[in-house]
PDB file of all heavy atoms in Angstrom:
ATOM      1  N   VAL X   2    -107.567  31.679  15.342  1.00 55.00           N
ATOM      2  CA  VAL X   2    -106.940  32.732  16.327  1.00 55.00           C
ATOM      3  C   VAL X   2    -105.686  33.246  15.940  1.00 55.00           C
ATOM      4  O   VAL X   2    -105.470  34.486  15.960  1.00 55.00           O
ATOM      5  CB  VAL X   2    -106.817  32.016  17.666  1.00 55.00           C
ATOM      6  CG1 VAL X   2    -106.054  32.928  18.719  1.00 55.00           C
ATOM      7  CG2 VAL X   2    -108.117  31.451  18.255  1.00 55.00           C
ATOM      8  N   ALA X   3    -104.807  32.627  15.312  1.00 53.00           N
ATOM      9  CA  ALA X   3    -103.595  33.068  14.802  1.00 53.00           C
ATOM     10  C   ALA X   3    -103.300  32.986  13.396  1.00 53.00           C
ATOM     11  O   ALA X   3    -102.113  32.860  12.981  1.00 53.00           O
ATOM     12  CB  ALA X   3    -102.489  32.403  15.625  1.00 53.00           C
ATOM     13  N   GLY X   4    -104.268  32.993  12.535  1.00 59.00           N
ATOM     14  CA  GLY X   4    -104.111  32.885  11.097  1.00 59.00           C
ATOM     15  C   GLY X   4    -103.645  31.381  10.692  1.00 59.00           C
ATOM     16  O   GLY X   4    -103.062  31.252   9.529  1.00 59.00           O
ATOM     17  N   VAL X  12     -98.219  32.898  27.418  1.00 89.00           N
ATOM     18  CA  VAL X  12     -99.381  32.943  28.192  1.00 89.00           C
ATOM     19  C   VAL X  12     -98.991  33.480  29.621  1.00 89.00           C
ATOM     20  O   VAL X  12     -97.784  33.183  30.115  1.00 89.00           O
ATOM     21  CB  VAL X  12    -100.152  31.636  28.417  1.00 89.00           C
ATOM     22  CG1 VAL X  12    -100.822  31.263  26.950  1.00 89.00           C
ATOM     23  CG2 VAL X  12     -99.269  30.550  28.898  1.00 89.00           C
ATOM     24  N   GLY X  16    -101.063  34.567  39.156  1.00 78.00           N
ATOM     25  CA  GLY X  16     -99.955  34.382  40.075  1.00 78.00           C
ATOM     26  C   GLY X  16     -98.549  34.445  39.551  1.00 78.00           C
ATOM     27  O   GLY X  16     -97.572  34.473  40.171  1.00 78.00           O
ATOM     28  N   ALA X  19     -94.617  36.993  35.169  1.00 92.00           N
ATOM     29  CA  ALA X  19     -94.439  37.246  33.677  1.00 92.00           C
ATOM     30  C   ALA X  19     -95.019  36.142  32.868  1.00 92.00           C
ATOM     31  O   ALA X  19     -95.353  35.007  33.388  1.00 92.00           O
ATOM     32  CB  ALA X  19     -92.829  37.393  33.438  1.00 92.00           C
ATOM     33  N   SER X  21     -95.197  33.006  30.133  1.00 90.00           N
ATOM     34  CA  SER X  21     -94.291  31.926  29.813  1.00 90.00           C
ATOM     35  C   SER X  21     -94.645  31.394  28.549  1.00 90.00           C
ATOM     36  O   SER X  21     -95.836  31.476  28.012  1.00 90.00           O
ATOM     37  CB  SER X  21     -94.254  30.801  30.861  1.00 90.00           C
ATOM     38  OG  SER X  21     -95.595  30.481  31.078  1.00 90.00           O
ATOM     39  N   PHE X  32    -101.260  20.641  30.592  1.00 96.00           N
ATOM     40  CA  PHE X  32    -102.687  20.896  30.625  1.00 96.00           C
ATOM     41  C   PHE X  32    -103.197  21.098  32.154  1.00 96.00           C
ATOM     42  O   PHE X  32    -103.854  22.077  32.292  1.00 96.00           O
ATOM     43  CB  PHE X  32    -103.524  19.848  29.896  1.00 96.00           C
ATOM     44  CG  PHE X  32    -104.898  20.136  29.783  1.00 96.00           C
ATOM     45  CD1 PHE X  32    -105.520  21.070  28.905  1.00 96.00           C
ATOM     46  CD2 PHE X  32    -105.853  19.519  30.668  1.00 96.00           C
ATOM     47  CE1 PHE X  32    -106.825  21.392  28.802  1.00 96.00           C
ATOM     48  CE2 PHE X  32    -107.238  19.864  30.574  1.00 96.00           C
ATOM     49  CZ  PHE X  32    -107.595  20.758  29.661  1.00 96.00           C
ATOM     50  N   LYS X  34    -101.680  21.556  34.811  1.00 91.00           N
ATOM     51  CA  LYS X  34    -101.013  22.628  35.533  1.00 91.00           C
ATOM     52  C   LYS X  34    -101.533  24.028  35.158  1.00 91.00           C
ATOM     53  O   LYS X  34    -101.756  24.902  35.963  1.00 91.00           O
ATOM     54  CB  LYS X  34     -99.492  22.550  35.230  1.00 91.00           C
ATOM     55  CG  LYS X  34     -98.625  23.632  35.929  1.00 91.00           C
ATOM     56  CD  LYS X  34     -97.134  23.551  35.758  1.00 91.00           C
ATOM     57  CE  LYS X  34     -96.923  24.020  34.309  1.00 91.00           C
ATOM     58  NZ  LYS X  34     -95.509  24.111  33.920  1.00 91.00           N
ATOM     59  N   CYS X  39    -109.224  25.745  37.633  1.00 93.00           N
ATOM     60  CA  CYS X  39    -110.542  25.469  37.064  1.00 93.00           C
ATOM     61  C   CYS X  39    -110.921  24.066  36.761  1.00 93.00           C
ATOM     62  O   CYS X  39    -110.606  23.418  35.720  1.00 93.00           O
ATOM     63  CB  CYS X  39    -110.807  26.237  35.683  1.00 93.00           C
ATOM     64  SG  CYS X  39    -112.485  26.268  35.192  1.00 93.00           S
ATOM     65  N   ALA X  41    -113.566  22.589  36.151  1.00 94.00           N
ATOM     66  CA  ALA X  41    -114.554  22.359  35.142  1.00 94.00           C
ATOM     67  C   ALA X  41    -113.845  22.094  33.805  1.00 94.00           C
ATOM     68  O   ALA X  41    -114.164  21.282  33.013  1.00 94.00           O
ATOM     69  CB  ALA X  41    -115.390  23.526  34.951  1.00 94.00           C
ATOM     70  N   ILE X  43    -110.715  20.901  33.323  1.00 95.00           N
ATOM     71  CA  ILE X  43    -109.933  19.699  33.345  1.00 95.00           C
ATOM     72  C   ILE X  43    -110.972  18.493  33.308  1.00 95.00           C
ATOM     73  O   ILE X  43    -110.593  17.573  32.664  1.00 95.00           O
ATOM     74  CB  ILE X  43    -109.211  19.551  34.798  1.00 95.00           C
ATOM     75  CG1 ILE X  43    -108.166  20.681  34.806  1.00 95.00           C
ATOM     76  CG2 ILE X  43    -108.598  18.163  35.069  1.00 95.00           C
ATOM     77  CD1 ILE X  43    -107.378  20.879  36.194  1.00 95.00           C
ATOM     78  N   LYS X  45    -113.898  18.482  31.842  1.00 94.00           N
ATOM     79  CA  LYS X  45    -114.664  18.533  30.560  1.00 94.00           C
ATOM     80  C   LYS X  45    -113.719  18.010  29.469  1.00 94.00           C
ATOM     81  O   LYS X  45    -114.187  17.348  28.518  1.00 94.00           O
ATOM     82  CB  LYS X  45    -115.035  19.824  30.216  1.00 94.00           C
ATOM     83  CG  LYS X  45    -115.974  19.884  28.835  1.00 94.00           C
ATOM     84  CD  LYS X  45    -116.613  21.252  28.663  1.00 94.00           C
ATOM     85  CE  LYS X  45    -117.435  21.201  27.394  1.00 94.00           C
ATOM     86  NZ  LYS X  45    -118.219  22.416  27.308  1.00 94.00           N
ATOM     87  N   TYR X  46    -112.447  18.308  29.515  1.00 93.00           N
ATOM     88  CA  TYR X  46    -111.597  17.906  28.388  1.00 93.00           C
ATOM     89  C   TYR X  46    -110.473  16.864  28.652  1.00 93.00           C
ATOM     90  O   TYR X  46    -109.468  17.201  29.059  1.00 93.00           O
ATOM     91  CB  TYR X  46    -110.821  19.319  27.905  1.00 93.00           C
ATOM     92  CG  TYR X  46    -111.768  20.276  27.358  1.00 93.00           C
ATOM     93  CD1 TYR X  46    -112.168  21.374  28.084  1.00 93.00           C
ATOM     94  CD2 TYR X  46    -112.187  20.242  26.046  1.00 93.00           C
ATOM     95  CE1 TYR X  46    -113.125  22.329  27.534  1.00 93.00           C
ATOM     96  CE2 TYR X  46    -113.103  21.073  25.536  1.00 93.00           C
ATOM     97  CZ  TYR X  46    -113.496  22.092  26.401  1.00 93.00           C
ATOM     98  OH  TYR X  46    -114.450  23.109  25.841  1.00 93.00           O
ATOM     99  N   ASP X  48    -109.639  14.448  26.516  1.00 94.00           N
ATOM    100  CA  ASP X  48    -108.840  14.288  25.436  1.00 94.00           C
ATOM    101  C   ASP X  48    -108.321  15.676  25.114  1.00 94.00           C
ATOM    102  O   ASP X  48    -108.952  16.409  24.377  1.00 94.00           O
ATOM    103  CB  ASP X  48    -109.518  13.669  24.328  1.00 94.00           C
ATOM    104  CG  ASP X  48    -108.780  13.296  22.994  1.00 94.00           C
ATOM    105  OD1 ASP X  48    -107.487  13.060  23.225  1.00 94.00           O
ATOM    106  OD2 ASP X  48    -109.315  13.284  21.959  1.00 94.00           O
ATOM    107  N   VAL X  49    -107.024  15.895  25.491  1.00 96.00           N
ATOM    108  CA  VAL X  49    -106.422  17.237  25.344  1.00 96.00           C
ATOM    109  C   VAL X  49    -105.880  17.295  23.932  1.00 96.00           C
ATOM    110  O   VAL X  49    -105.080  16.590  23.408  1.00 96.00           O
ATOM    111  CB  VAL X  49    -105.239  17.464  26.380  1.00 96.00           C
ATOM    112  CG1 VAL X  49    -104.701  18.761  26.153  1.00 96.00           C
ATOM    113  CG2 VAL X  49    -105.791  17.348  27.761  1.00 96.00           C
ATOM    114  N   ASN X  50    -106.381  18.479  23.260  1.00 95.00           N
ATOM    115  CA  ASN X  50    -105.967  18.788  21.886  1.00 95.00           C
ATOM    116  C   ASN X  50    -105.606  20.198  21.674  1.00 95.00           C
ATOM    117  O   ASN X  50    -106.316  21.083  22.149  1.00 95.00           O
ATOM    118  CB  ASN X  50    -106.986  18.412  20.967  1.00 95.00           C
ATOM    119  CG  ASN X  50    -106.750  18.570  19.503  1.00 95.00           C
ATOM    120  OD1 ASN X  50    -105.935  19.312  19.114  1.00 95.00           O
ATOM    121  ND2 ASN X  50    -107.253  17.654  18.666  1.00 95.00           N
ATOM    122  N   LEU X  54    -107.380  24.787  22.232  1.00 94.00           N
ATOM    123  CA  LEU X  54    -106.958  25.914  23.117  1.00 94.00           C
ATOM    124  C   LEU X  54    -107.878  27.076  23.186  1.00 94.00           C
ATOM    125  O   LEU X  54    -108.238  27.513  24.323  1.00 94.00           O
ATOM    126  CB  LEU X  54    -105.400  26.275  22.814  1.00 94.00           C
ATOM    127  CG  LEU X  54    -104.849  27.442  23.790  1.00 94.00           C
ATOM    128  CD1 LEU X  54    -104.873  26.989  25.169  1.00 94.00           C
ATOM    129  CD2 LEU X  54    -103.602  27.807  23.273  1.00 94.00           C
ATOM    130  N   HIS X  57    -110.694  26.154  25.273  1.00 95.00           N
ATOM    131  CA  HIS X  57    -110.425  25.935  26.691  1.00 95.00           C
ATOM    132  C   HIS X  57    -110.318  27.323  27.463  1.00 95.00           C
ATOM    133  O   HIS X  57    -110.748  27.452  28.618  1.00 95.00           O
ATOM    134  CB  HIS X  57    -108.989  25.323  26.894  1.00 95.00           C
ATOM    135  CG  HIS X  57    -108.864  23.841  26.284  1.00 95.00           C
ATOM    136  ND1 HIS X  57    -107.732  23.332  25.907  1.00 95.00           N
ATOM    137  CD2 HIS X  57    -109.876  23.006  26.066  1.00 95.00           C
ATOM    138  CE1 HIS X  57    -107.926  22.098  25.400  1.00 95.00           C
ATOM    139  NE2 HIS X  57    -109.277  21.888  25.456  1.00 95.00           N
ATOM    140  N   TYR X  61    -112.795  28.369  30.456  1.00 92.00           N
ATOM    141  CA  TYR X  61    -112.223  28.934  31.744  1.00 92.00           C
ATOM    142  C   TYR X  61    -112.741  30.196  32.015  1.00 92.00           C
ATOM    143  O   TYR X  61    -113.067  30.491  33.196  1.00 92.00           O
ATOM    144  CB  TYR X  61    -110.620  28.945  31.512  1.00 92.00           C
ATOM    145  CG  TYR X  61    -109.979  29.689  32.774  1.00 92.00           C
ATOM    146  CD1 TYR X  61    -109.643  28.710  33.804  1.00 92.00           C
ATOM    147  CD2 TYR X  61    -109.800  30.939  32.851  1.00 92.00           C
ATOM    148  CE1 TYR X  61    -109.109  29.366  34.974  1.00 92.00           C
ATOM    149  CE2 TYR X  61    -109.215  31.565  34.096  1.00 92.00           C
ATOM    150  CZ  TYR X  61    -108.884  30.712  35.090  1.00 92.00           C
ATOM    151  OH  TYR X  61    -108.224  31.299  36.235  1.00 92.00           O
ATOM    152  N   THR X  62    -112.836  31.143  31.127  1.00 91.00           N
ATOM    153  CA  THR X  62    -113.395  32.434  31.308  1.00 91.00           C
ATOM    154  C   THR X  62    -114.989  32.465  31.819  1.00 91.00           C
ATOM    155  O   THR X  62    -115.208  33.060  32.707  1.00 91.00           O
ATOM    156  CB  THR X  62    -113.442  33.355  29.968  1.00 91.00           C
ATOM    157  OG1 THR X  62    -112.001  33.357  29.668  1.00 91.00           O
ATOM    158  CG2 THR X  62    -113.919  34.642  30.270  1.00 91.00           C
ATOM    159  N   GLN X  64    -116.555  29.663  33.130  1.00 91.00           N
ATOM    160  CA  GLN X  64    -116.780  28.734  34.310  1.00 91.00           C
ATOM    161  C   GLN X  64    -115.967  29.156  35.466  1.00 91.00           C
ATOM    162  O   GLN X  64    -116.517  29.114  36.729  1.00 91.00           O
ATOM    163  CB  GLN X  64    -116.357  27.341  33.985  1.00 91.00           C
ATOM    164  CG  GLN X  64    -117.117  26.788  32.888  1.00 91.00           C
ATOM    165  CD  GLN X  64    -118.619  26.519  33.285  1.00 91.00           C
ATOM    166  OE1 GLN X  64    -118.957  26.231  34.456  1.00 91.00           O
ATOM    167  NE2 GLN X  64    -119.500  26.720  32.318  1.00 91.00           N
ATOM    168  N   CYS X  65    -114.801  29.802  35.342  1.00 90.00           N
ATOM    169  CA  CYS X  65    -113.980  30.018  36.469  1.00 90.00           C
ATOM    170  C   CYS X  65    -113.306  31.383  36.484  1.00 90.00           C
ATOM    171  O   CYS X  65    -112.533  31.798  37.371  1.00 90.00           O
ATOM    172  CB  CYS X  65    -112.834  29.041  36.539  1.00 90.00           C
ATOM    173  SG  CYS X  65    -113.451  27.252  36.598  1.00 90.00           S
ATOM    174  N   GLY X  66    -113.719  32.203  35.496  1.00 78.00           N
ATOM    175  CA  GLY X  66    -113.132  33.659  35.537  1.00 78.00           C
ATOM    176  C   GLY X  66    -113.621  34.489  36.686  1.00 78.00           C
ATOM    177  O   GLY X  66    -114.686  34.225  37.189  1.00 78.00           O
TER     178      GLY X  66
END
Side-chain angles (χ1 to χ4, degrees):
V2 174
V12 295
S21 58
F32 184 79
K34 180 177 79 172
C39 190
I43 293 171
K45 185 172 181 176
Y46 297 98
D48 183 27
V49 177
N50 186 326
L54 177 60
H57 299 158
Y61 175 86
T62 302
Q64 298 293 322
C65 303

